[in-house]
Amino acid sequence: MNPWAITTLLVIAVAAFAALSARKIRIVASLRSTERLDQPLARLRTVLFNGLLQQRMIRREWRPGLMHTVIFLGFLSLLLRKLQLVAIGYDESFAVGGFAGSAFAAVKDLVELAVLVAVGYAFHRRLILRPRRLEPNREGLLILTLIAAIMLTDFAFDGCRFVLLSASDAGIAHERSVAPVGRLVAHVLEALPVATVHTAYQSSYWLQMLTVLSFLVLLPVGEHFHIVTALPALFFRRGGPANAVPAVDLERLMGEDADAAATLVGVRSAADLNWKEGLDAFTCTECGRCKDACPTFLTGKPLSMKWVNDGLKRHLLEHGAALVAGGAACEALPPLIPAAIGEEALWACTTCGYCEAACPIELEHLPRFFRMRQRRVMMDGEFPHELKSVFHGYEVQGNPWGLPADTRGDWARGLDIGVATSAADVAAVDYLFYVGSAESFDPRGQKIARAFAKILAAAGVRFAILGAAEPSTGECVRRAGNEMLFQELAAKLVATLNGLGVARIVTCDPHAFNALRNEYPAFGGQWQVLHHTQLIAKLLAEGRLQLQPSLERVLLHDPCYLGRHNDEFSAPRAVVAALSRDVPPEFPLNREQAMCCGAGGGRMWMEETRGTRINVLRTEQALALAPSVIATACPYCAVMLGDGLKTLGRGGTVSTQDLAELVAAALVPGQSGPTPEPSAARAAGQFA
């Protein structure tokens, strides 16, 4: 070939790749530090299975997942072929001999064939099938074209090489004998004049090398930089769902001067992002999987994790010089809201976590949104007007409705339920029933609490409530960005529960369940926490509850904060199975892919002014399956889907029932619940 030409091409391409990559790497390195080196073996295991073997991608959607895996692994394996081609540029007769050479030549052809098939399917998806999540993308089509060109020119080069050199070189002749596609191409080309084959030989080699090296230079320019950064991003992943909001150090905040304090609260500009968040923005593959069950994307809101990463990536590149320079240059950076992310997008998020669960390389979305909300609320005082009354209600009465705190236990009037007021009271019961604000004050939630109390009594479970003394978890205000108010509520709750010696808690509210289980340990709350479906499933398995399975077509809606955020999908289904005399239907979007009802992240209290209402779309998905009842396991889901039925005019034909209500109604006669009238001691607020 031409050693000078191949050397020149290599130097130019590698230098360009390094320079373009360094631009992004310097930006990432300039961002704030975060510790991501714990559990190295688990991280390496994730890189192997979800990175190299692409298990996460294939498991979720096997056809496109397999397509991408074939292209990815094919690309990795064919790196050896490219090294061989570089060597041929210096020594035209270079060939790998022996058994290794035979295996390499045969496998190489089969891999290239598989890659061509996968590329063909990728073109079919983008141009014919066009799933909604795949936006028009010229770069994607260009990259697929380059990959196809590399495979085809390699087959052509092999065929020409075999025709011209196999007769005089034993090594190349051996390659021809074991390369199925190359041998076939050579057989076809042998009918052409030698001069024509020689021209094709030179053309196919240099065209392939130019294509390969052009691909290398393009990588750090666009979205396909993820080929370089995806494996590192997987290694440095958080691991697990974002079920805890990043805390603000309030003690330090109060001790700093005003200017220094501003740097401790949330995210204002790109300089407040940590390096993993910058790496994620540059690593986003733009596959669109985050959109498939994203409630905001499906209902026409201006939010998807892909769009957020797009905006951040452009913003980081635009202000990269200032970030790298640091100091005063960073202080002059514009705020990310709205320079990179729209205000409406920030508050549209329901924090359901689907985008993170769906991302094949586990990019992280929620923590940065939580921190951006903290900044807007605590430092800027800018947030949706509906949240003002919610915050005020929590500040004054400890609940979002602002209803009198001393009426928190009124839902239990008429029921023989103990109210714990001392450590001795708590020690005498199996569980503290943490009711939460939704079931204490909302009429729909109160029905759920009463039904669950009936179930506990029927199973002989000793339990108590705190009544008017029950503090709020404040999880709603925390996800809405008011960390200061949350920590005030948390301090009160921890002091109350720990003061009573509480060890075991059961709650019907997945949001309270998640907060008590995953967030309160950081504030001194070390309790065993169960969701009511977990306890009901346990009681059924132990034979302590007897049900009449008389229901049909019970359709279960998975709550986000029970399912995706806490990986509990089995318990609610065990309860549904015990209630049903048929095989229950499932939403197409179920379990990890379940669509949110629209209430999470403080959205319960905010109006939807763009697109379809989330709860209405989820209800439409349910009605398409003709259920007799939509089963919920969260008081917020019950309200949202119930309102969806009313909006669609189906409130009288299909009901929404919490699993506790369904179980309470299905109890075999003889299992008694709380008595209609309370004892005198309990009516007086004492524990009996």
Side-chain angles (χ1 to χ4, degrees), residues 310-364:
D310 283 348
L312 282 177
K313 180 165 53 180
R314 289 191 298 269
H315 187 81
L316 289 171
L317 289 172
E318 182 181 352
H319 298 282
L323 289 166
V324 173
C330 284
E331 294 176 7
L333 288 172
L336 287 176
I337 309 294
I341 301 166
E343 189 87 37
E344 186 179 357
L346 175 67
W347 294 104
C349 182
T350 67
T351 71
C352 73
Y354 174 76
C355 56
E356 291 195 0
C359 181
I361 47 180
E362 300 187 50
L363 301 185
E364 299 160 21

Side-chain angles (χ1 to χ4, degrees), residues 414-418 675-688:
L415 303 178
D416 192 16
I417 298 175
T675 57
E677 296 297 330
S679 65
R682 296 191 186 192
Q686 300 170 0
F687 185 83

Side-chain angles (χ1 to χ4, degrees), residues 70-85 104-105 107-116 147 150-151 154-155 208 212:
V70 168
I71 294 175
F72 174 72
L73 293 178
F75 223 76
L76 289 182
S77 63
L78 291 174
L79 286 176
L80 292 174
R81 171 59 169 174
K82 305 315 159 194
L83 293 176
Q84 182 191 25
L85 289 173
F104 173 74
V107 171
K108 187 265 303 179
D109 274 16
L110 296 177
V111 168
E112 289 183 339
L113 271 178
V115 170
L116 276 175
I147 294 172
I150 292 170
M151 302 302 115
D154 199 47
F155 285 143
Q208 180 174 183
V212 169

